[in-house]
Amino acid sequence: MRIIEAKNYEDMSKKAAEIIAAKVVLHPNCLLGLATGSTPVGTYQNLVKKYNDGELDFSKVRSVNLDEYKGLSGEHEQSYRYFMNTNFFDHINIDKSNTFVPNGLTEDSLEGCKQYNELLHSMGAVDLQLLGIGGNGHIGFNEPSHEFKKEVHCVQLAESTVEANARFFASKEDVPKYAYTMGIGNIMSAKTILLLASGKEKANAIYESFFGPITPKVQGSILQLHTNVIVIADEDALSIAKEKGVF
Ligand code: GLP
């Protein structure tokens, strides 16, 4: 595991974009695992800039996303499909038919999970999986639990996650209560994992995930067992690890 300290959000975003860009240059037909949330927005902006500057070609790149709210269509402004289109795909030359996000409108949860899981297996190993992290240590939407779920599943969002994500919706009541998410096994099968964190709200999650015991109560802690994880965290996100003298 490599932990790279960034000065701030901008610096984290630049560094992350460099790593993703290098992957696309080396493997033009790579499979990227992509993430949503406010954390990767700057990374996507930097990648779009590199594309506009003629440095990157996404025409052969394929992508799979981590998760999607259950009940939201891809046209809903808070759906993760909409997020991916507006923050990234609409601005680069990726073939959208090669980009995959769980279908939030599949009502039958078992069916929704089965479909996305089969799709992931058919695509082969993700070359680089981008991750953010929840304040409670969740990755994708794998919430604190007594177990690590292996494959795609439908999860009830933790109260703290609903509250954290309410800022994007008209009210807390509008935040979907369930989501489809890749399981920990799906995430851990990626060849490389790039986790980003910025801000003091993430400091405890970073400390517990990378310097604490491996426990399903902090789902990100499983990443300690992956052989190729890069964490780019800014000074604020590393503040507790530094206070405790472990970084
Ligand atoms: C969301 C997403 C995660 C994301 C996390 C942090 O609920 N499901 O993939 O990493 O929460 O979000 P943010 O980057 O906005 O802090």
Side-chain angles (χ1 to χ4, degrees):
M1 185 171 66
R2 230 168 303 182
I3 301 186
I4 298 170
E5 180 175 1
K7 285 194 237 16
N8 49 32
Y9 181 83
E10 286 69 36
D11 188 31
M12 174 198 78
S13 304
K14 269 195 175 172
K15 287 179 160 67
E18 291 296 338
I19 291 171
I20 298 169
K23 181 64 73 183
V24 172
V25 169
L26 275 170
H27 303 286
N29 58 350
C30 63
L31 175 59
L32 296 178
L34 297 176
T36 52
S38 36
T39 306
V41 170
T43 303
Y44 294 138
Q45 286 168 350
N46 278 283
L47 287 169
V48 169
K49 181 171 185 310
K50 286 177 184 296
Y51 168 73
N52 286 333
D53 291 346
E55 290 175 34
L56 292 175
D57 175 13
F58 291 91
S59 61
K60 296 197 191 73
V61 171
R62 299 168 303 142
S63 74
V64 286
N65 260 73
L66 283 168
D67 47 14
E68 178 61 284
Y69 288 116
K70 187 174 179 199
L72 298 193
S73 84
E75 277 84 53
H76 189 290
E77 287 188 10
Q78 294 309 330
S79 74
Y80 286 167
R81 161 53 78 182
Y82 188 90
F83 174 103
M84 289 311 302
N85 287 349
T86 51
N87 283 287
F88 195 32
F89 300 151
D90 286 346
H91 311 289
I92 57 173
N93 68 336
I94 199 164
D95 177 349
K96 271 202 203 146
S97 66
N98 286 332
T99 68
F100 300 92
V101 181
N103 180 358
L105 289 186
T106 312
E107 280 214 15
D108 179 343
S109 302
L110 285 179
E111 186 54 32
C113 296
K114 184 168 172 275
Q115 280 173 9
Y116 201 58
N117 212 46
E118 283 176 3
L119 174 103
L120 294 178
H121 283 281
S122 73
M123 308 273 296
V126 166
D127 291 292
L128 186 147
Q129 175 67 58
L130 183 61
L131 291 179
I133 190 161
N136 62 7
H138 74 230
I139 49 176
F141 266 133
N142 291 273
E143 296 282 27
S145 167
H146 59 283
E147 61 180 340
F148 291 111
K149 288 259 194 213
K150 195 172 161 196
E151 307 224 280
V152 178
H153 56 286
C154 183
V155 65
Q156 181 169 13
L157 302 183
E159 188 58 24
S160 62
T161 302
V162 171
E163 272 162 24
N165 292 3
R167 65 192 197 275
F168 300 114
F169 291 81
S171 75
K172 192 179 144 190
E173 285 62 47
D174 292 325
V175 183
K177 304 293 177 288
Y178 291 87
Y180 289 113
T181 181
M182 279 191 198
I184 291 297
N186 304 113
I187 294 172
M188 290 289 280
S189 338
K191 294 179 195 168
T192 301
I193 292 179
L194 175 60
L195 183 140
L196 309 181
S198 168
K200 283 220 170 7
E201 326 75 75
K202 300 298 169 68
N204 197 49
I206 290 294
Y207 171 66
E208 291 194 336
S209 294
F210 298 105
F211 302 96
I214 297 165
T215 164
K217 293 192 187 114
V218 184
Q219 295 272 316
S221 64
I222 194 80
L223 299 173
Q224 293 179 47
L225 296 181
H226 194 283
T227 51
N228 196 7
V229 174
I230 305 163
V231 177
I232 307 181
D234 67 9
E235 278 174 21
D236 284 345
L238 282 166
S239 56
I240 295 184
K242 285 182 161 183
E243 267 163 43
K244 305 252 184 202
V246 290
F247 181 81

